[in-house]
Amino acid sequence: MAKPSKKEKRKRKSKAKAKASRRAVHDRNRERKLAENILRFGKKLNRRQFDAYCYCRMPLVRFTAEEIEWYSLFENKLLGIVIRDVTDNDYGFIVLGRDSRRLFRCIEVSNEFHDAPEKARKALARKISQDYLGKTQDIYPQGDETDAGFDLFTDVIPENEQHHGYRVLKNEPRFEAARNIISEIVNSFVDNDGHFEREFQSVNFQARLWELYLHIYIHNAGLMVENNHPAPDFEVSFFGEKIFIEAVTVNPSENVSRPDLPPPQTHEEIEERLNDFMPIKFGSPLYSKLQKKYWEKEHVSGKPIILAIHDYHNDNAMTWSRTALSEYLYGIRTRIVDGKPFVEDIEKHSWEGKEIPSGFFFQDEAENISAVLFSNQATIPKFNRMGKIAGLGSADVKMIRNGFLYNPDPDAIHPIPFSKDLDDSDYEESWSDGLIMFHNPNAKNPVDPDAFSDISHIFYSKDEGFYGYHQPYDVLGSITVVVTEAKE
């Protein structure tokens, strides 16, 4: 074989150089595409899933930036958001990591903004590739951290002293989603009295569950939480206006001579309990809170005070008892009799030798209470559902929710029944579902309903009667069937 000429050698060398150059360009393009592929580092989340991890946004952020896309990176060690600056209408990103309390906080903000969200997404991916790939930390401490966050599911009291609800929540596989979302929520919870873990595991389990529910709702409502005092339970701010919220629960009777009635089995039994038994059950804890005179505290004086109450007196009370609260607060009974609305004034409620005056809002010093906030949904199934739709539970757990919705038809006298599989793509649920605020017509310091714009509000005056607004198709009550699917 003849040796190649110098010309041929130069030609081959030139071709090899060109090929190497093309490969180098190809490799750079490949690396750039890899670096700009955010899914290389994790997965995309929907808003509900992201909110399970990051719900403590500063209220002002909601008005200055619109969140466009959400990502979980490196198996939830980091979170990423693509945002739109609402002032300049351009796009950037935020990177979040867990602080010492395991609460997700901002650790990086894009220093350049772009004219399209896909460009901001690629910039986020490049930042992750350059600065965090192989360098992620479990914790990114921040200087303003307070002493908060704890593990609610590490036993601090003997098992024989634990509340049955706590044992069920901690141990049953079908409530994995509830455990996981509560573990995220508690990262930002401030335990002012130092007893929350013990009480969550013991006889006060339901009261502490109600506080966690209020905590997550308040954050999701966009209110600034400023719990600087041990009482009332929540100190929040709405555009600089302070509002105080005290959590109240209706608990099982401890009076052996006057035990609670068993759960009603018929419509007639429900009607009977709504007349006197339930108003007295609501009245006792509300009146006890009234005696606390929170308005006399210097930091509370002149500010709205809300008593937030939940009925836990038996396991199914939350499906039927809310009507009694309205009747007790205003001293007015509203029912459907023979298919027509019936209204009457109530002076008192009597049951088993106990008698209380009706009309809580008209009692001495009750003008210092601005409103009563009620929910019947701060339950283990609620946390379980919210955890599941956030992707924090096993796919093997199936949940079917059955209940009744508020009927927005002004001529309707009956609610709308519903049954829904949580795995359906169109299933929606929020922390605000079922919350209703009853406003005191005599309040010295009324509550601005705009501070709680995503819930139902009821007002009353002698001239106008009852008025206000319900959230369309709000859930009045429900039962969730939880089934664990067997693996083949």
Side-chain angles (χ1 to χ4, degrees):
M1 179 181 292
K3 285 186 177 182
S5 67
K6 290 183 179 181
K7 183 177 180 180
E8 287 176 338
K9 287 182 179 180
R10 286 195 298 269
K11 188 176 180 180
R12 290 179 185 178
K13 189 175 182 181
S14 178
K15 289 178 69 175
K17 186 176 181 181
K19 185 177 180 181
S21 179
R22 289 195 300 271
R23 178 169 292 279
V25 171
H26 173 78
D27 290 343
R28 285 196 299 271
N29 288 338
R30 180 174 175 275
E31 288 300 318
R32 178 177 54 79
K33 288 181 179 180
L34 283 173
E36 292 179 347
N37 179 11
I38 192 66
L39 297 182
R40 178 188 177 195
F41 312 109
K43 61 183 179 180
K44 190 172 184 179
L45 303 175
N46 60 38
R47 175 61 182 266
R48 194 79 73 189
Q49 291 169 327
F50 183 84
D51 282 351
Y53 297 107
C54 181
Y55 52 86
C56 291
R57 300 165 179 83
M58 296 292 287
L60 185 61
V61 172
R62 300 170 188 260
F63 298 95
T64 59
E66 177 190 3
E67 297 175 13
I68 305 296
E69 297 174 353
W70 306 269
Y71 297 93
S72 166
L73 308 168
F74 306 117
E75 298 183 342
N76 289 333
K77 285 190 175 182
L78 298 176
L79 298 177
I81 320 175
V82 174
I83 61 170
R84 180 180 72 88
D85 185 306
V86 298
T87 303
D88 298 327
N89 197 32
D90 50 12
Y91 299 85
F93 64 79
I94 298 173
V95 180
L96 302 98
R98 291 188 187 271
D99 66 12
S100 298
R101 302 168 298 170
R102 299 200 55 75
L103 183 65
F104 276 105
R105 304 272 299 278
C106 174
I107 58 174
E108 189 115 32
V109 180
S110 56
N111 53 21
E112 292 184 7
F113 280 72
H114 309 270
D115 60 5
E118 56 268 22
K119 292 181 180 179
R121 183 193 317 125
K122 289 179 179 180
L124 168 62
R126 287 195 299 271
K127 170 60 68 172
I128 296 299
S129 178
Q130 293 166 10
D131 295 351
Y132 295 97
L133 183 60
K135 308 172 192 174
T136 55
Q137 302 169 199
D138 291 330
I139 299 297
Y140 293 85
Q142 302 203 22
D144 62 344
E145 295 173 25
T146 56
D147 184 16
F150 34 84
D151 182 3
L152 286 181
F153 299 104
T154 296
D155 292 350
V156 296
I157 61 174
E159 186 173 348
N160 63 341
E161 297 178 13
Q162 293 171 3
H163 190 277
H164 74 278
Y166 168 73
R167 293 198 300 270
V168 166
L169 179 59
K170 177 192 174 187
N171 298 316
E172 290 204 17
R174 61 197 178 111
F175 294 122
E176 176 191 9
R179 284 194 301 275
N180 289 340
I181 200 165
I182 287 174
S183 295
E184 291 293 335
I185 293 169
V186 80
N187 288 333
S188 64
F189 191 86
V190 178
D191 182 11
N192 279 325
D193 59 17
H195 304 302
F196 194 90
E197 292 170 278
R198 175 174 293 276
E199 294 190 353
F200 182 80
Q201 298 179 13
S202 62
V203 68
N204 291 320
F205 167 76
Q206 289 170 322
R208 302 290 83 82
L209 197 68
W210 178 219
E211 289 183 28
L212 286 179
Y213 182 94
L214 290 170
H215 176 78
I216 185 65
Y217 165 70
I218 289 167
H219 277 290
N220 272 267
L223 296 168
M224 175 77 78
V225 179
E226 301 174 343
N227 286 357
N228 300 318
H229 303 88
D233 292 317
F234 297 94
E235 179 179 349
V236 304
S237 178
F238 177 67
F239 289 102
E241 178 188 349
K242 284 289 184 71
I243 302 171
F244 291 89
I245 304 172
E246 176 68 11
V248 191
T249 54
V250 179
N251 301 315
S253 174
E254 296 180 354
N255 188 338
V256 293
S257 64
R258 194 167 54 244
D260 289 333
L261 292 173
Q265 302 299 316
T266 65
H267 178 72
E268 289 72 25
E269 288 185 353
I270 291 177
E271 288 287 320
E272 180 184 347
R273 284 159 174 70
L274 292 177
N275 287 337
D276 294 301
F277 171 69
M278 278 311 306
I280 288 175
K281 292 294 292 183
F282 281 117
S284 293
L286 287 174
Y287 185 75
S288 295
K289 290 295 183 181
L290 186 63
Q291 303 312 300
K292 298 287 187 181
K293 300 182 186 292
Y294 293 115
W295 57 88
E296 294 182 353
K297 295 179 179 294
E298 183 177 353
H299 66 282
V300 180
S301 179
K303 309 295 192 301
I305 302 172
I306 299 170
L307 298 182
I309 192 166
H310 196 290
D311 181 13
Y312 290 110
H313 89 273
N314 69 41
D315 288 341
N316 75 349
M318 54 282 297
T319 64
W320 58 269
S321 67
R322 78 184 259 174
T323 301
L325 176 60
S326 174
E327 295 183 358
Y328 168 67
L329 293 176
Y330 297 104
I332 298 173
R333 180 166 293 139
T334 57
R335 301 292 175 84
I336 302 298
V337 178
D338 296 328
K340 298 180 180 179
F342 173 77
V343 180
E344 66 174 335
D345 293 336
I346 313 168
E347 293 185 1
K348 60 185 179 181
H349 302 280
S350 302
W351 178 73
E352 292 292 322
K354 184 171 183 176
E355 183 175 290
I356 64 171
S358 193
F360 174 78
F361 286 145
F362 300 92
Q363 295 181 26
D364 290 343
E365 299 192 297
E367 67 274 10
N368 295 290
I369 303 302
S370 306
V372 170
L373 178 65
F374 171 77
S375 175
N376 56 9
Q377 297 188 41
T379 60
I380 293 175
K382 173 70 174 186
F383 286 92
N384 211 30
R385 293 194 304 271
M386 295 303 287
K388 180 173 178 60
I389 63 178
L392 300 180
S394 170
D396 296 328
V397 175
K398 196 81 170 173
M399 299 186 198
I400 308 296
R401 190 183 187 193
N402 306 304
F404 294 92
L405 304 174
Y406 172 76
N407 192 333
D409 183 345
D411 296 325
I413 60 175
H414 297 295
I416 302 171
F418 76 94
S419 180
K420 201 72 177 174
D421 186 332
L422 266 69
D423 288 327
D424 288 352
S425 60
D426 62 345
Y427 181 82
E428 285 289 336
E429 185 172 358
S430 70
W431 292 108
S432 62
D433 286 357
L435 277 166
I436 182 168
M437 185 173 289
F438 298 97
H439 292 257
N440 186 350
N442 305 312
K444 282 185 175 180
N445 305 290
V447 178
D448 182 351
D450 288 341
F452 305 89
S453 60
D454 56 351
I455 69 173
S456 300
H457 292 267
I458 298 298
F459 300 85
Y460 172 81
S461 74
K462 287 190 175 182
D463 294 333
E464 298 183 59
F466 287 101
Y467 61 99
Y469 52 90
H470 280 270
Q471 295 297 320
Y473 306 105
D474 202 9
V475 177
L476 302 178
S478 69
I479 294 174
T480 304
V481 178
V482 184
V483 180
T484 302
E485 296 181 339
K487 294 182 180 180
E488 295 183 359

